[in-house]
Amino acid sequence: MISDVLANGPALVAWAAVLYKLSARRRSPDDPAAHPYLWTLVALASALTVLAHPVYVTLDRLAGIPNLARLLGHGFIMLTAWNARSTLSYVNYPFEEARSRVRHHGAILVVALVFMVVLFGLAPVDEETIQFMSRYATAPFILEYWLVFLGFLGVALFDIVRLDLAHAERADNPSLKLGLRTVALGGIVGLGYVANEGLYVLGRQVDATYPLGDKDMVTTVLVAGGTSLMIIGSTMPAWGPVVGIPAAARWLDRYRMLRTLYPLWIDLYRASPEIALAPPSSPMKDALSLRDLNVSLYRRVVEIRDGLLTLRPYVDPRVREDAIALGRSTGLAGDELVTVAEAVTVAAAIRAKRRGHAAADGGLVAAAPADSDLGAEAAYLTRLSRAYRSSPVVKMMLDHTENADLDGGLVQQGTRRP
Amino acid sequence: MNPRMLRRRCEERLREIELPVPFNAASFCDALAARRGRPIVLRSVVARGGPFGVWVPTPNKDYIFYERETSKWHQEHIVLHEACHMLWGHEPTPITAPELAQLLVPSISPTTVRLMLERRSYPEEQEHEAELLATLILERVGGIGASDAQGRRSEPNDPVVRLEAILDGGRVRNRD
């Protein structure tokens, strides 16, 4: 029952995706990459359909050629891979370059298909079976047949995963980002399929035992998983907003920021308790407060800003200079170096304030991004807090100044930041 | 007042306030000034510590002084906090004419500013009312997320933009 669903279900999902895309096609952008994308879905739906058991058997009976559906299914899978790769090529490269790539891959596809048809014709696969692979793994010409098919598919899938992840990295829209990552995961499962089939067919040549139990079940799961993930992922930008993916992603972002800001905020609060509108709860309780995140994050950002201002009389500009020198010597540069140096300055000022060591007229801390909005402000302070909590430079500088303080007899006992 | 009651009071107050579009602290103060029939003048000062903003009423106008050396966004919040004292009808501590004259001199020393501002605090409950109302106003007009969903790229040939258009079928853009 489960294997029936796994073997036949993905075809229905794929056709549903095709219909969905066709219904939206009137509004589709006029982009050369839009056509191969639609053909990707059509070819995938066709592949999964001819390989679905009832269709497979019927088709072969009607054609009078045993296992013809297998060849057709493999052909459609290769068409799917070529079209998916074409979609990404058109999106990724200038039109002329993309077209030449698409044609080049198309020529390889045709050659591979011709080889496969010839090898299939030569191979003695005359008895109808849906367990084609296990049944004929050692038949003459079948090893070559599989190597051509899996080789083409493997190279295409590798390229798809690579381009897909690169785009996901740059995507801002959460539905697109998650969608592309889902497609990439599907591609990786597809590569698992290629490896599984390849190793199996090679193993059979030398009578090796298949280590994963039921080989057909493994194949079914990999095919169903890989194709479903790709269909779900590639359509996610369209339905993601309907099921609330952007809202969920924003919630998660805010939650992560709140968590990251906590160490800086709690230390600023301890140095200047007046900054907090509501006194802090325990770290555990803070981590479990999941409601009203917008207001919570707003408060945390404004209270950190207030706290940083209260530190100003305790800021020692020499600490920042030393931190920059130390940071640079550990290989830090650019924004990261500046952020780490600010984190050191803040940490030293918090300690100075606790000990009542005011320094002159005070310096600036944590200059903000120009024209910041709450998002930019929160992002900046998040980076600062992360450096404050975990940068080794901050720890080294604090230890260093602690020792200097001890040598100078300014404090009797070193107290570490909790 | 417990936090829940304070929150409820602020939310009730927020419902009565009309927020200008586009919203920023200056446009909010302009609208508030028009309602009160008294101009509000915003001035930045360097206090380096102490209160970061102060509302100073004079016979014919209101001044709001705010910390110059902090982020733009923090300044907006500070100004709004002072404006919220006005909205709540809190009573500011009066200031003498010579003190005001000093505050308006650009070369005033941060220490002098700080000492002047430190004497001008409100009872804690009023500070909380102003602070939370300012928070709720700014949260409502553009909390986090107002900017993060706006695509940073508008370049139509950007691969990611094209991919998005293709995969979502050219749906009319109405980003959540």
Side-chain angles (χ1 to χ4, degrees):
Chain A
M1 175 60 199
I2 289 176
S3 71
D4 282 348
V5 172
L6 285 176
N8 305 322
L12 295 176
V13 178
W15 283 116
V18 170
L19 288 179
Y20 182 75
K21 278 290 140 188
L22 280 175
S23 72
R25 191 149 168 74
R26 285 169 280 124
R27 288 168 286 153
S28 262
D30 186 19
D31 190 310
H35 303 283
Y37 174 57
L38 182 66
W39 286 115
T40 305
L41 290 177
V42 172
L44 181 57
S46 308
L48 294 169
T49 304
V50 298
L51 292 173
H53 301 168
V55 180
Y56 187 102
V57 177
T58 313
L59 206 103
D60 290 350
R61 204 181 51 235
L62 289 175
I65 303 173
N67 302 311
L68 176 68
R70 184 66 51 181
L71 178 64
L72 272 176
H74 286 166
F76 278 128
I77 288 175
M78 291 159 79
L79 266 174
T80 306
W82 176 61
N83 275 299
R85 211 176 172 193
S86 303
T87 307
L88 290 167
S89 290
Y90 275 121
V91 166
N92 207 49
Y93 302 103
F95 180 74
E96 296 297 330
E97 190 184 343
R99 195 172 53 183
S100 89
R101 274 172 179 270
V102 168
R103 285 181 178 166
H104 177 69
H105 298 150
I108 297 173
L109 170 69
V110 170
V111 172
L113 282 173
V114 169
F115 264 107
M116 283 167 66
V117 169
V118 171
L119 291 165
F120 184 86
L122 293 173
V125 290
D126 305 327
E127 210 167 296
E128 178 80 350
T129 174
I130 50 172
Q131 269 110 35
F132 183 83
M133 173 59 122
S134 43
R135 172 77 187 274
Y136 290 119
T138 51
F141 303 110
I142 282 299
L143 173 67
E144 292 81 353
Y145 173 92
W146 278 104
L147 291 183
V148 173
F149 170 62
L150 295 173
F152 181 89
L153 188 60
V155 171
L157 280 173
F158 184 81
D159 204 37
I160 289 166
V161 170
R162 180 182 68 86
L163 286 172
D164 209 62
L165 284 177
H167 293 320
E169 188 58 41
R170 295 181 59 243
D172 293 328
N173 173 353
S175 303
L176 180 65
K177 202 178 193 77
L178 185 61
L180 291 176
R181 290 197 167 141
T182 308
V183 171
L185 184 63
I188 291 166
V189 174
L191 286 169
Y193 162 83
V194 169
N196 183 58
E197 305 302 294
L199 291 174
Y200 176 81
V201 75
L202 287 170
R204 281 288 297 272
Q205 312 305 312
V206 293
D207 280 337
T209 326
Y210 181 72
L212 300 177
D214 184 349
K215 149 74 184 53
D216 289 324
M217 190 60 185
V218 173
T219 300
T220 308
V221 168
L222 289 173
V223 171
T227 53
S228 303
L229 286 169
M230 287 180 143
I231 295 164
I232 290 168
S234 74
T235 51
M236 198 179 284
W239 53 261
V242 181
V243 300
I245 286 177
R250 269 204 304 280
W251 186 92
L252 205 64
D253 258 7
R254 284 179 202 140
Y255 182 77
R256 275 203 207 119
M257 281 183 173
L258 269 168
R259 305 300 338 122
T260 315
L261 291 172
Y262 186 83
L264 177 60
W265 173 71
I266 196 75
D267 283 1
L268 286 169
Y269 168 79
R270 286 177 186 142
S272 315
E274 71 276 12
I275 61 172
L277 188 58
S281 47
S282 70
M284 179 69 109
K285 217 172 160 193
D286 190 79
L288 290 176
S289 48
L290 306 176
R291 292 182 49 216
D292 220 5
L293 290 194
N294 232 6
V295 171
S296 308
L297 184 57
Y298 186 100
R299 287 308 315 158
R300 195 148 294 178
V301 170
V302 87
E303 286 167 13
I304 287 176
R305 271 287 167 211
D306 287 352
L308 291 173
L309 278 184
T310 66
L311 288 182
R312 296 195 41 174
Y314 303 90
V315 169
D316 184 347
R318 288 170 307 176
V319 171
R320 181 187 285 118
E321 285 161 26
D322 291 350
I324 287 177
L326 181 62
R328 201 169 273 147
S329 75
T330 63
L332 294 178
D335 278 353
E336 205 186 352
L337 176 63
V338 174
T339 308
V340 166
E342 282 314 303
V344 172
T345 315
V346 170
I350 287 177
R351 193 171 60 183
K353 182 163 197 283
R354 281 208 204 142
R355 293 173 179 177
H357 299 168
D361 207 15
L364 264 174
V365 265
D371 285 332
S372 56
D373 57 9
L374 179 55
E377 186 88 0
Y380 170 73
L381 293 178
T382 302
R383 286 198 302 280
L384 183 68
S385 185
R386 196 175 290 132
Y388 174 79
R389 187 187 48 186
S390 45
S391 163
V393 175
V394 175
K395 191 175 175 325
M396 276 192 279
M397 277 294 293
L398 282 184
D399 289 346
H400 175 72
T401 50
E402 186 79 21
N403 293 336
D405 278 0
L406 284 172
D407 292 346
L410 289 171
V411 282
Q412 263 133 34
Q413 241 182 355
T415 43
R416 289 283 298 131
R417 188 161 56 80
Chain B
M1 196 187 308
N2 74 39
R4 201 167 295 166
M5 270 174 65
L6 175 67
R7 177 75 185 254
R8 197 176 314 138
R9 251 170 75 79
C10 288
E11 274 169 359
E12 275 164 18
R13 196 79 187 78
L14 181 60
R15 274 194 287 276
E16 299 159 10
I17 306 169
E18 212 172 292
L19 300 176
V21 181
F23 183 93
N24 54 47
S27 67
F28 184 76
C29 287
D30 285 347
L32 183 59
R35 261 206 316 281
R36 289 162 56 91
R38 285 163 57 83
I40 298 175
V41 181
L42 305 179
R43 284 293 177 96
S44 67
V45 285
V46 180
R48 302 206 177 139
F52 317 122
V54 67
W55 161 32
V56 177
T58 67
N60 46 20
K61 60 177 103 165
D62 292 291
Y63 283 95
I64 290 178
F65 294 94
Y66 60 94
E67 174 63 51
R68 185 182 307 151
E69 293 184 347
T70 187
S71 71
K72 175 87 174 57
W73 180 83
H74 193 209
Q75 290 173 344
E76 296 266 305
H77 177 84
I78 294 167
V79 170
L80 213 60
H81 172 104
E82 298 306 321
C84 286
H85 280 304
M86 293 184 200
L87 275 170
W88 283 114
H90 298 157
E91 284 290 328
T93 322
I95 193 167
T96 62
E99 278 181 320
L100 176 63
Q102 258 190 304
L103 269 176
L104 291 171
V105 175
S107 58
I108 185 171
S109 92
T111 317
T112 316
V113 176
R114 192 158 69 237
L115 291 175
M116 270 156 89
L117 301 194
E118 269 169 5
R119 284 182 283 111
R120 311 185 51 75
S121 56
Y122 297 83
E124 191 180 51
E125 184 168 322
Q126 295 190 354
E127 286 298 343
H128 285 181
E129 282 178 342
E131 186 65 11
L132 187 58
L133 187 57
T135 300
L136 294 179
I137 288 172
L138 276 176
E139 194 270 326
R140 187 207 262 186
V141 296
I144 298 251
S147 66
D148 62 1
Q150 291 161 12
R152 271 183 269 136
R153 298 182 196 87
S154 47
E155 179 65 43
N157 282 327
D158 187 286
V160 174
V161 173
R162 286 174 61 192
L163 206 49
E164 184 175 2
I166 290 160
L167 297 186
D168 83 357
R171 199 165 43 86
V172 180
R173 304 238 45 86
N174 180 18
R175 275 174 157 168
D176 184 343

